[in-house]
C-alpha cells in the first residue's frame, strides 16, 4: 500500500482529521496534508514548516562572493591594464561584479535547494489525488506501517460523508 | 468555498483552454511588425551600423535610447512584486504575475539593443569572462562589462522569480486537462503535489528571492546610469544620475504595468479579479513617482543652470529653447503635467484615467531617455563638433518592432500560462470588493488578511 487518505472540503475538517491522527499515535512526520493553496490559517499547515533555506541562500551568496572576487583579481592580474591611472586590481568597479555574483549565488542556492528538498524532479510513489485541484484537502499517511494504516483507518473518516481511500 | 475556487480556476484557465479569433489577430498583427524589425536588424548587420543615423560625434542614438527605456520598463515587475510580497500587501495577489512577466520580457528586449549596437553582434560573447586563444580577459573597469553582469543577474533572478510560483499553477492545469496538454503541463509542474512542506519551502524561497532581487533591480538601473555618468561628457557627468535613473525606471515601469493590466482586463475579461481599486492604488503610486520625477528634473536642471558651466550650458539651452526644446516640453507635459492633473483628482483616477496617464508616461519616458542620450553628444565641448541626429527608417522600424515584441510575447504568455497566479488568489480568497461596503473594502484591501 502506497498510502491511505481521505479528502476534506475545507480546512476545519482537515484540521480535525489531522488532530484525530495525532490522537491515534501517528506522528507529524508521517502525516501528509496536500492542498491546492497554502492554508496558513490552520495549525496543520505548520507540519514540515522548518527548513534551512535562509542559511543555504547565505552560503550560496558567500560562495558567489568568493568566486567572483577570485575571478576578477585573477583576471586583472593575468592581463594587467592600466586604465586612467587606476590600480591594476581596482576594488570600486570590482565591487559591482562581486555584488551581482553574490546575489546570483544566493538565488541559485535557493532554487537548487528548493528543488532538491521539496521532492521535485523525483520519481516518487504517486500519493496524490487530482481532486486536490478542485479545492479538496487531502489528509493521509504515505507508505504507512501496519500500525499507522490501522490508526489512519480509524482517524480519517470524521463524518459519514468522508470516505477512506487507499493507493 | 470549493464552488468559488472552481469558478476562479475556470475563469483564469479559460484563456488557456479556449482560443478566440482575437488571439490569432493579435499574433499576426504584432508578429508582422516583429518580423519587419528582424528584417531591419538583419539589414543593419549585413550593411553595418552606418544604416543608422548615428555619426561622429553622436555615436549613440535610438539603439541606446531603446536599451535604457526597456530596462526601465522592466523595473515594473519584479521590483514592485518583490516589495509587495515582502510587506505582504494582500492586494498584490492578482497583480504580481502580470508585473513579473513585464520584467522578463522587457529585459530580454532591452538587453538585445547593446548587442545589436555592437555592429558585429555575433561577437557579443567577448563580454563573457572565459579563457580564449586571445589570452585577454574582459576589462572589469568598463561599464559595458558591469551591464553584462548586472543584466544577466537580474534576468536570471527575474525568470526564476517568475517561474517558481508558476509550478503550482502548472500542476493545476495538469489535473484539469487531458491528453498531450496534461502531459506537457505535468512536465512543467515538476511533480508538484502541494504538501505543506512544499508550500513552506516555496514561500520561503520567494521571500529570499524578493530580498535578493530588490537590491539587484536597483543596481541594474544604477549601472545603466553609470554607462553615461562615468563619462566626462557635459550633461552626463552628474552624481544625481543613479537615483534619477532608478526613480525614472520605477516610474515608467508602473506605467507599463497599468497598461498591461488594463489590456488584460479588457481582452481576457478579468474584471472579477482586476478591480478598480488595484488601478487606483497603482495610480497613486504613479502620481507619487511623477512628483518624484519632477523633483529630480528640477534639481538636475537648476544645478546646471545655476552653475553656468561653459561646457554644460550649450546642452542645457539646446533642450530648453533650442533644437530639442519641443521634445523636452512634450516630455514634461507627458511625465508631469498630465499625470499629476489626472491622478490627483479622485474622479479622474479611474481605470481609463490611469491608463491614459500611463500612455503619456510611457511616451514621456522614452523621450526622456532620448533627451539624456542625444543632446549631450550633439553639444560636446568644442563648437566645431556640434551636430544633430536624425534617425533613419531602419531605426524607427526596430523601435516599433521592440514595442510589438513586448505585446506579442505578453499575448503568447497569457495564452499558455495563467496570467494571474491561481494559488495565490486562493490563498488570499475573499469576497469581491465590489460587494462590500467601502469601509470594509479599505480594511480588507489594506494589509489585513480577513
Amino acid at each position: 500500500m502506497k498510502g491511505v487518505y481521505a479528502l476534506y472540503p475545507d480546512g476545519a475538517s482537515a484540521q480535525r482529521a489531522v488532530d484525530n491522527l495525532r490522537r491515534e499515535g501517528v506522528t507529524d512526520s508521517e502525516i501528509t496534508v496536500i492542498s491546492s493553496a497554502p492554508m496558513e490559517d490552520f495549525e496543520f499547515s505548520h507540519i514540515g514548516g522548518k527548513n534551512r533555506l535562509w542559511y543555504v541562500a547565505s552560503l550560496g551568496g558567500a560562495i558567489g562572493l568568493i568566486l567572483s572576487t577570485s575571478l576578477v583579481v585573477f583576471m586583472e592580474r593575468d592581463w594587467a591594464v592600466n586604465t586612467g591611472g587606476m590600480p591594476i586590481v581596482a576594488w570600486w568597479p570590482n565591487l559591482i561584479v562581486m555584488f551581482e555574483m553574490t546575489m546570483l549565488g544566493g538565488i541559485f542556492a535557493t532554487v537548487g535547494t528548493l528543488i532538491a528538498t521539496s521532492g521535485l524532479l523525483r520519481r516518487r510513489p504517486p500519493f496524490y489525488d487530482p481532486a486536490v485541484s478542485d479545492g479538496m484537502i487531502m489528509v493521509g499517511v504515505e507508505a504507512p506501517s501496519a500500525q499507522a494504516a490501522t490508526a489512519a483507518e480509524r482517524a480519517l473518516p470524521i463524518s459519514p460523508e468522508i470516505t477512506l481511500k487507499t493507493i | 468555498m470549493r464552488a468559488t475556487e472552481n469558478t476562479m480556476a475556470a475563469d483564469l484557465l479559460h484563456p488557456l483552454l479556449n482560443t478566440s479569433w482575437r488571439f490569432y489577430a493579435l499574433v499576426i498583427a504584432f508578429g508582422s511588425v516583429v518580423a519587419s524589425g528582424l528584417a531591419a536588424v538583419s539589414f543593419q548587420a549585413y550593411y553595418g551600423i552606418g544604416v543608422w543615423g548615428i555619426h561622429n560625434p553622436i555615436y549613440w542614438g535610438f539603439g541606446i535610447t531603446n536599451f535604457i527605456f526597456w530596462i526601465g520598463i522592466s523595473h515594473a515587475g519584479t521590483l514592485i512584486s518583490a516589495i509587495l510580497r515582502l510587506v505582504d500587501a494582500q492586494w498584490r495577489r492578482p497583480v504580481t504575475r502580470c508585473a513579473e512577466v513585464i520584467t522578463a520580457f522587457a529585459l530580454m528586449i532591452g538587453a538585445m539593443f547593446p548587442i545589436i549596437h555592437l555592429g558585429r553582434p555575433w561577437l557579443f560573447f567577448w563580454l563573457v569572462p572565459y579563457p580564449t586563444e586571445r589570452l585577454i580577459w574582459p576589462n572589469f573597469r568598463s561599464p559595458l562589462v558591469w551591464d553584462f553582469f548586472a543584466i544577466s543577474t537580474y534576468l536570471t533572478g527575474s525568470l526564476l522569480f517568475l517561474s517558481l510560483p508558476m509550478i503550482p499553477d502548472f500542476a493545476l492545469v495538469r489535473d484539469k486537462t487531458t491528453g498531450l496538454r496534461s502531459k506537457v503541463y505535468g512536465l512543467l509542474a515538476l511533480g508538484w503535489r502541494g504538501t505543506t512542506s512544499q508550500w513552506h519551502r516555496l514561500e520561503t524561497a520567494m521571500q529570499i528571492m524578493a530580498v535578493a532581487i530588490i537590491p539587484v533591480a536597483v543596481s541594474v538601473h544604477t549601472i545603466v546610469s553609470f554607462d553615461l555618468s562615468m563619462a566626462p561628457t557635459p550633461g552626463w557627468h552628474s552624481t544625481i544620475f543613479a537615483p534619477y535613473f532608478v526613480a525614472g525606471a520605477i516610474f515608467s515601469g508602473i506605467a507599463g504595468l497599468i497598461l498591461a493590466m488594463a489590456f488584460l482586463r479588457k481582452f481576457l475579461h478579468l474584471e472579477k479579479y482586476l478591480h478598480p481599486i488595484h488601478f487606483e492604488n497603482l495610480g497613486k503610486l504613479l502620481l507619487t513617482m511623477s512628483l518624484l520625477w519632477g523633483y529630480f528634473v528640477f534639481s538636475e536642471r537648476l544645478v546646471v543652470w545655476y552653475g553656468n558651466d561653459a561646457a554644460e550650458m550649450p546642452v542645457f539651452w539646446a533642450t530648453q529653447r533650442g533644437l530639442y526644446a519641443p521634445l523636452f516640453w512634450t516630455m514634461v507635459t507627458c511625465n508631469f503635467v498630465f499625470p499629476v492633473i489626472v491622478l490627483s483628482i479622485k474622479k479622474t483616477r479611474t481605470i481609463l484615467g490611469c491608463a491614459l496617464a500611463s500612455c503619456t508616461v510611457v511616451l514621456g519616458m522614452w523621450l526622456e531617455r532620448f533627451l539624456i542620450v542625444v543632446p549631450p553628444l550633439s553639444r560636446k565641448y568644442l563648437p566645431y563638433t556640434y551636430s544633430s541626429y536624425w534617425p533613419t527608417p531602419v531605426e524607427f522600424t526596430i523601435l516599433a518592432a521592440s514595442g510589438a515584441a513586448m505585446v506579442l510575447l505578453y499575448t503568447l504568455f497569457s495564452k499558455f500560462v495563467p496570467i494571474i497566479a491561481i494559488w495565490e488568489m486562493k490563498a488570499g480568497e475573499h469576497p469581491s470588493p465590489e460587494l462590500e461596503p467601502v469601509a470594509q473594502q479599505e480594511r480588507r484591501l489594506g494589509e489585513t488578511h480577513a
Side-chain angles (χ1 to χ4, degrees):
Chain A
M1 186 196 297
K2 289 173 183 169
V4 54
Y5 71 96
L7 294 166
Y8 301 89
D10 52 52
S13 53
Q15 183 66 60
R16 280 171 58 201
V18 170
D19 292 341
N20 280 354
L21 281 170
R22 285 171 177 153
R23 270 195 290 275
E24 294 288 341
V26 181
T27 60
D28 278 5
S29 59
E30 292 174 294
I31 299 172
T32 300
V33 182
I34 298 177
S35 57
S36 61
M39 315 274 297
E40 287 165 9
D41 295 340
F42 297 94
E43 187 274 333
F44 67 76
S45 72
H46 300 295
I47 294 174
K50 284 186 182 171
N51 62 67
R52 293 185 177 154
L53 274 177
W54 281 101
Y55 299 107
V56 175
S58 306
L59 182 67
I63 292 170
L65 176 64
I66 292 164
L67 285 179
S68 59
T69 308
S70 314
L71 178 88
V72 292
V73 171
F74 164 73
M75 290 184 178
E76 283 171 344
R77 284 187 177 159
D78 191 49
W79 186 272
V81 179
N82 191 323
T83 306
M86 293 172 99
I88 297 302
V89 177
W91 288 107
W92 282 109
N94 287 353
L95 279 175
I96 293 170
V97 176
M98 288 155 60
F99 167 77
E100 300 296 342
M101 293 298 99
T102 302
M103 292 299 165
L104 195 61
I107 289 170
F108 277 146
T110 304
V111 175
T113 310
L114 170 75
I115 290 171
T117 62
S118 299
L120 299 177
L121 299 178
R122 285 185 197 164
R123 292 183 68 82
R124 307 182 81 189
F127 185 61
Y128 181 73
D129 192 317
V132 169
S133 287
D134 295 327
M136 302 298 280
I137 300 163
M138 181 175 167
V139 180
V141 182
E142 194 170 357
S145 61
Q147 191 184 358
T150 314
E153 281 165 15
R154 280 200 300 269
L156 291 176
I158 56 168
S159 64
E161 309 88 69
I162 304 293
T163 54
L164 201 67
K165 298 185 178 185
T166 54
I167 298 176
Chain B
M1 180 174 169
R2 267 195 301 145
T4 317
E5 284 193 9
N6 283 331
T7 310
M8 192 185 291
D11 287 346
L12 298 177
L13 292 182
H14 186 265
L16 276 73
L17 307 177
N18 303 281
T19 309
S20 77
W21 64 269
R22 285 196 292 190
F23 169 76
Y24 294 111
L26 278 174
V27 170
I28 291 169
F30 289 100
S32 309
V33 183
V34 172
S36 67
L38 290 174
V41 170
S42 308
F43 180 75
Q44 178 258 311
Y46 186 78
Y47 287 102
I49 207 99
V51 300
W52 286 3
I54 54 176
H55 55 83
N56 182 20
I58 306 173
Y59 289 117
W60 286 357
F62 265 30
I64 299 300
T65 302
N66 295 340
F67 163 64
I68 302 173
F69 172 75
W70 282 112
I71 298 292
I73 291 287
S74 78
H75 272 55
T78 306
L79 184 64
I80 294 170
S81 168
I83 293 170
L84 294 178
R85 199 179 284 278
L86 278 184
V87 299
D88 198 24
Q90 293 302 312
W91 65 271
R92 77 171 195 277
R93 293 181 187 280
V95 177
T96 48
R97 188 168 294 160
C98 306
E100 289 157 13
V101 179
I102 294 178
T103 296
F105 293 146
L107 268 178
M108 288 177 192
I109 294 168
M112 278 193 325
F113 281 99
I115 295 173
I116 297 171
H117 207 288
L118 290 174
R120 289 184 289 171
W122 50 91
L123 297 179
F124 84 97
F125 60 89
W126 284 5
L127 286 167
V128 182
Y130 73 102
T132 67
E133 72 238 14
R134 290 174 288 123
L135 298 175
I136 57 173
W137 303 105
N139 181 4
F140 289 101
R141 281 158 288 194
S142 161
L144 193 58
V145 175
W146 305 343
D147 273 335
F148 171 76
F149 279 93
I151 294 173
S152 306
T153 301
Y154 192 40
L155 182 58
T156 309
S158 298
L159 285 174
L160 291 170
F161 194 70
L162 169 69
S163 307
L164 289 184
M166 286 181 348
I167 295 173
D169 283 343
F170 286 144
L172 179 78
V173 184
R174 171 197 67 195
D175 294 344
K176 294 268 185 190
T177 55
T178 54
L180 180 65
R181 191 178 270 158
S182 177
K183 281 182 186 165
V184 171
Y185 283 100
L187 283 174
L188 294 170
L190 305 175
W192 178 269
R193 293 188 299 166
T195 61
T196 47
S197 67
Q198 281 182 336
W199 286 119
H200 274 290
R201 280 170 173 76
L202 178 64
E203 294 205 318
T204 309
M206 291 307 293
Q207 276 188 339
I208 295 170
M209 301 273 285
V211 169
I213 216 89
I214 292 171
V216 170
V218 172
S219 79
V220 168
H221 226 68
T222 300
I223 290 166
V224 170
S225 82
F226 287 170
D227 288 344
L228 305 153
S229 62
M230 289 290 162
T233 301
W236 285 357
H237 199 52
S238 162
T239 53
I240 206 174
F241 252 39
Y244 178 36
F245 265 55
V246 173
I250 297 171
F251 183 36
S252 60
I254 295 167
L257 174 59
I258 291 174
L259 281 179
M261 283 171 54
F263 172 83
L264 290 171
R265 189 177 194 269
K266 176 80 179 168
F267 286 95
L268 299 184
H269 304 291
L270 297 176
E271 291 86 355
K272 272 198 279 182
Y273 305 95
L274 296 173
H275 299 292
I277 191 103
H278 294 119
F279 288 87
E280 186 169 348
N281 286 351
L282 286 169
K284 285 175 184 168
L285 208 52
L286 192 67
L287 171 64
T288 309
M289 294 312 297
S290 181
L291 293 168
L292 191 63
W293 179 88
Y295 164 73
F296 271 117
V297 171
F298 174 73
S299 301
E300 198 249 348
R301 294 278 135 178
L302 178 68
V303 169
V304 170
W305 175 79
Y306 203 83
N308 200 26
D309 183 84
E312 298 264 7
M313 292 317 284
V315 181
F316 180 82
W317 289 121
T319 54
Q320 300 305 291
R321 60 186 187 199
L323 178 64
Y324 300 103
L327 296 180
F328 179 85
W329 294 110
T330 306
M331 171 191 80
V332 170
T333 307
C334 288
N335 282 352
F336 190 75
V337 179
F338 185 76
V340 166
I341 292 171
V342 170
L343 299 172
S344 299
I345 303 166
K346 193 169 173 58
K347 272 190 180 175
T348 52
R349 204 167 50 233
T350 56
I351 295 175
L352 180 63
C354 290
L356 285 175
S358 299
C359 278
T360 65
V361 169
V362 168
L363 172 65
M365 285 309 294
W366 189 88
L367 288 174
E368 192 221 40
R369 299 338 191 173
F370 180 83
L371 289 168
I372 285 174
V373 171
V374 173
L377 291 173
S378 68
R379 299 288 185 277
K380 195 174 171 183
Y381 293 115
L382 299 174
Y384 79 88
T385 65
Y386 286 5
S387 184
S388 55
Y389 162 76
W390 299 102
T392 63
V394 174
E395 289 167 290
F396 277 114
T397 308
I398 294 173
L399 170 63
S402 69
M406 184 71 199
V407 181
L408 180 67
L409 289 169
Y410 212 92
T411 306
L412 290 173
F413 182 89
S414 55
K415 171 66 193 150
F416 296 109
V417 180
I419 196 68
I420 292 177
I422 300 172
W423 69 268
E424 285 217 62
M425 291 297 291
K426 285 180 180 176
E429 197 182 15
H430 46 66
S432 166
E434 287 164 356
L435 304 175
E436 294 181 21
V438 175
Q440 202 172 337
Q441 273 182 37
E442 287 181 355
R443 180 184 65 77
R444 195 184 284 281
L445 289 167
E447 307 310 312
T448 54
H449 187 159

